[in-house]
Amino acid sequence: MTDLLASLRTAERLAEGAMLLPGYARDREAALLAEIQTISNLAPPRRMTVPGGGEMSVAMTNCGALGWVTDRTGYRYSPTDPLAGEPWPAMPPILAALAREAAEEAGYGGFTPDACLVNRYQTGAKMGLHQDRDEQDLTAPIVSVSLAAACVFLWGGLRRSDPVRRFALQGGDVMVWGGPSRLAFHGVDRLQAGPRFNLTFRKAG
Ligand code: MD3
Ligand code: FE
């Protein structure tokens, strides 16, 4: 309880609509990592191909009704895992509950994500600066949960050319991005020591 109160006290508004909840998921980290293992057994994390032909350094899988995928033809949400031709694993209740609670904490009541992208960063993996704009409903926030190793998060503005801030994200940190910050450019610096996992909850469909 003291941990929870401490994390709530230090919640920080990063920008209009964006909230950092340090350590918000720390007490659930082991349970969340166990769920990621179960999801990974059903839908293995894989390094996907981007339209330009390159392979992402981050290995990805999904749970929920929809999953984010990329291949040579582009980015999209798919109800099935292209490797298996089967639906993605269901979103475990403790994941859905965490996303809903964190969104509520940040002022977004009634968040019901239909997609959870699971990112696995091994040492050396990174994610370049990008916007998340493949979702149907851009009025819903995105909730992001960092697990295991720390990373340096890159956070820009609404234009690619805007200045980029950098700050450390620890395992158990949660961020909520909605309102005017929903389309902010963001990324992750090359990981010094992995693995790190990240869950991003979206309303995609
Ligand atoms: C700001 N993942 O999967 S999470 C992604 O740590 C992604 O794996 C990173 O960017 C990761 O698309 C960063 C933080 C995050 C996620 C979504 C955002 C920040 C965001 C959407 C809008 C603005
Ligand atoms: Fe993103």
Side-chain angles (χ1 to χ4, degrees), residues 4-71:
L4 176 63
L5 292 175
S7 63
L8 294 181
R9 259 199 307 278
T10 56
E12 182 188 350
R13 203 166 83 148
L14 298 171
E16 186 67 35
M19 187 89 94
L20 170 63
L21 302 169
Y24 189 79
R26 200 179 300 137
D27 61 346
R28 284 177 256 191
E29 212 180 347
L32 295 168
L33 288 167
E35 295 289 4
I36 289 173
Q37 188 57 59
T38 301
I39 292 163
S40 299
N41 292 342
L42 296 165
R46 79 293 307 256
R47 292 175 58 189
M48 298 185 196
T49 301
V50 294
E55 208 175 60
M56 299 186 76
S57 59
V58 179
M60 297 177 162
T61 185
N62 293 274
C63 65
L66 292 169
W68 187 86
V69 296
T70 174
D71 59 20

Side-chain angles (χ1 to χ4, degrees), residues 117 119 127-128 130-132 142 153 184 186-187 200 202:
L117 175 61
N119 293 149
M127 192 177 288
H130 67 279
Q131 292 172 300
D132 290 16
I142 287 186
F153 179 67
H186 59 280
T200 51
R202 300 115 186 275

Side-chain angles (χ1 to χ4, degrees), residues 18 56 58 60 68 77 117-121 126-128 130-133 135 141-146 151-158 169 175-178 180-188 196-202:
M56 299 186 76
V58 179
M60 297 177 162
W68 187 86
Y77 280 92
L117 175 61
V118 180
N119 293 149
R120 187 189 67 200
Y121 295 75
K126 63 181 166 58
M127 192 177 288
H130 67 279
Q131 292 172 300
D132 290 16
R133 52 188 314 161
E135 299 74 28
I142 287 186
V143 173
S144 143
V145 180
S146 291
C151 76
V152 173
F153 179 67
L154 312 177
W155 169 39
L158 294 177
L169 282 180
M175 297 193 295
V176 182
W177 301 84
S181 69
R182 175 64 181 74
L183 288 174
F185 278 88
H186 59 280
V188 174
R196 166 180 183 262
F197 297 88
N198 181 264
L199 305 172
T200 51
F201 297 90
R202 300 115 186 275

